[in-house]
Amino acid sequence: MRDRDAGIGMRIYHYTVIRVRFPDGIYLQGTFSAHDTVESVFKFVESSLRHPVTFSLIIPGSTALKRDTTLLKNAGLVPSGVVSLSTSETTEFTLLSDELVCKLSEM
């Protein structure tokens, strides 16, 4: 009974908005299913990069997300989340692909 009552008032989210903050201050935003995995966020970021680079995604509290099949809702990224991209590679240009750089807009 108590478990059932604990669920009252909880919202059920079907989608989540994830913003990835790049070292140069640019944000990449994507919409995912709440049932997608952390791996899908990593793949999304990889598909947006200019060239392959080793990186990690850091959630608030300086905790690195593990690239695995953890659901986004279980990782605390629902209904939305901001993660920081961390890489040891330094560059004077953005890591984003040229196609996405052309689509940049002010927030």
Side-chain angles (χ1 to χ4, degrees), residues 18-30 41-53 55 57 85 87 89 91-105 107:
I18 306 293
R19 291 185 180 98
V20 180
R21 185 169 43 112
F22 280 74
D24 56 2
I26 293 176
Y27 283 84
L28 174 67
Q29 179 174 299
V41 176
F42 275 88
K43 287 181 180 179
F44 171 69
V45 172
E46 285 174 340
S47 70
S48 304
L49 295 175
R50 181 179 303 235
H51 59 279
V53 61
F55 66 91
L57 297 177
L85 183 135
T87 182
E89 183 174 316
T91 179
E92 57 192 54
F93 303 106
T94 182
L95 295 171
L96 284 174
S97 68
D98 292 333
E99 177 185 343
L100 290 175
V101 170
C102 292
K103 296 180 179 180
L104 288 177
S105 63
M107 287 181 69

Side-chain angles (χ1 to χ4, degrees), residues 10-19 30-38 40-41 59-60 65 70-83:
M10 289 183 57
R11 300 187 91 175
I12 297 175
Y13 296 97
H14 299 287
Y15 297 98
T16 182
V17 175
I18 306 293
R19 291 185 180 98
T31 303
F32 299 87
S33 166
H35 301 287
D36 277 343
T37 63
V38 171
S40 63
V41 176
I59 57 176
L65 284 175
T70 302
L71 297 178
L72 294 176
K73 66 180 184 175
N74 295 340
L77 296 172
V78 174
S80 66
V82 177
V83 297

